[in-house]
Amino acid sequence: MSSIFTRRRFLIGSAASLGAVGLTGCDDISQNQHVQKVLALAERLTMGTQRLIVSPQTLAREYTDADISPSFHPNGSIQPNSAEYVQMVETKFADWRLKIDGMVNRPMEFSLADLKKLPSRTQITRHDCVEGWSAIGKWQGVPLGLILQTAGLKPGARYAVFYCADELEQTLDGSGRYYESIDLIDAFHPQSILAYSLNGKDLEVEHGAPLRLRVERHLGYKHAKYVMRIEIRDRFDDLWGGNGGFWEDRGYEWYAGI
């Protein structure tokens, strides 16, 4: 247990250091080829080691109600400002739909009410942010694997890409819109859920309403908020910066396992 804890804190500390640099100079990181080679090597080592020594079904630690943090600091953006999202907030997401498409046999759409009728999972877990803080919260939502099984995966499918409502940078090509991706090993992990509730209440806007990803064995920036669409793909290097996520395109590691 101590070795796992030490490794976990090391990875969080390393990512926090990168995050501090990234927040002040992501362009410097993304344009420095030497830094990128070092990060790529470290990422492959981390991913290979974790997948080798930890079962894909091993759970992140879960806590009790007594451990829940008195406040849960929101990570990333806290208020998408697009006209579409503002309208959805005003109508309490009555017209919001989650789209599932790409390499699936049955493209689907789910309303928030539809998702709440499906079997759910509740888990009390710790969120570790690259900024150096952590908080414990109780999340409830639909297992991501259940949604993917319902849609049916086509041969060759490898990744789930999450497209979100928040736009962190104004860009013409859409690269400023938040997106994230995980592979299907993490997508089918028991604790990977599409959460619609935090601490017994519907998600507030600052926490990603109406739906956010919880992928509990990864750092916080992988937990995409304001999810609008999930596309199943065999690759992601043809999306925007080619690295599989908004922050990954700006220097962060794609694999953020802890």
Side-chain angles (χ1 to χ4, degrees):
M1 180 66 181
S2 61
S3 61
I4 296 176
F5 177 79
T6 301
R7 178 178 176 275
R8 180 182 178 91
R9 297 311 307 167
F10 171 77
L11 289 170
I12 293 169
S14 299
S17 299
L18 175 58
V21 174
L23 291 171
T24 58
C26 284
D27 289 342
D28 292 338
I29 294 176
S30 61
Q31 294 174 9
N32 188 313
Q33 293 184 358
H34 175 69
V35 172
Q36 284 299 303
K37 289 180 180 179
V38 172
L39 290 177
L41 177 60
E43 179 181 352
R44 289 194 297 270
L45 178 61
T46 298
M47 182 175 178
T49 300
Q50 186 171 36
R51 291 278 169 84
L52 178 65
I53 65 175
V54 180
S55 166
Q57 299 300 303
T58 298
L59 301 181
R61 178 181 176 183
E62 295 193 12
Y63 297 81
T64 69
D65 287 300
D67 299 313
I68 294 174
S69 300
S71 63
F72 199 105
H73 182 73
N75 65 306
S77 57
I78 60 173
Q79 177 69 65
N81 59 9
S82 70
E84 178 187 16
Y85 185 80
V86 171
Q87 177 65 27
M88 287 191 292
V89 172
E90 291 178 353
T91 60
K92 297 183 180 179
F93 302 102
D95 297 324
W96 172 88
R97 296 293 184 273
L98 172 68
K99 296 180 175 62
I100 313 293
D101 59 14
M103 298 179 68
V104 297
N105 296 318
R106 295 172 293 278
M108 310 184 80
E109 291 190 2
F110 296 88
S111 68
L112 189 56
D114 291 335
L115 293 175
K116 289 183 176 181
K117 292 176 183 177
L118 296 175
S120 68
R121 177 184 172 89
T122 300
Q123 55 201 33
I124 302 176
T125 53
R126 190 177 74 187
H127 180 100
D128 291 300
C129 182
V130 296
E131 296 173 350
W133 59 268
S134 63
I136 294 173
K138 177 189 284 187
W139 303 94
Q140 181 182 6
V142 182
L144 176 57
L146 174 62
I147 296 293
L148 299 187
Q149 286 177 333
T150 302
L153 301 180
K154 291 185 176 180
R158 296 183 62 193
Y159 303 102
V161 179
F162 303 83
Y163 300 93
C164 305
D166 48 336
E167 188 173 25
L168 276 68
E169 294 179 6
Q170 297 291 322
T171 59
L172 295 176
D173 64 354
S175 62
R177 184 66 62 89
Y178 203 91
Y179 80 104
E180 191 50 81
S181 64
I182 58 176
D183 64 19
L184 294 183
I185 292 177
D186 281 323
F188 279 92
H189 186 272
Q191 292 172 315
S192 293
I193 65 173
L194 298 173
Y196 47 71
S197 171
L198 172 60
N199 295 337
K201 299 179 180 179
D202 285 350
L203 287 180
E204 297 179 357
V205 169
E206 65 181 9
H207 289 299
L211 196 73
R212 73 176 294 168
L213 172 68
R214 294 300 304 177
V215 53
E216 300 297 352
R217 298 202 306 180
H218 283 261
L219 290 169
Y221 64 87
K222 301 294 288 189
H223 300 227
K225 298 161 64 174
Y226 315 110
V227 176
M228 303 292 291
R229 173 189 172 207
I230 303 173
E231 181 187 19
I232 303 304
R233 293 177 133 256
D234 60 352
R235 56 186 289 189
F236 54 68
D237 60 356
D238 56 340
L239 294 175
W240 296 297
N243 297 299
F246 176 88
W247 284 117
E248 289 88 330
D249 288 341
R250 290 155 179 81
Y252 282 50
E253 293 182 351
W254 176 77
Y255 186 75
I258 52 177

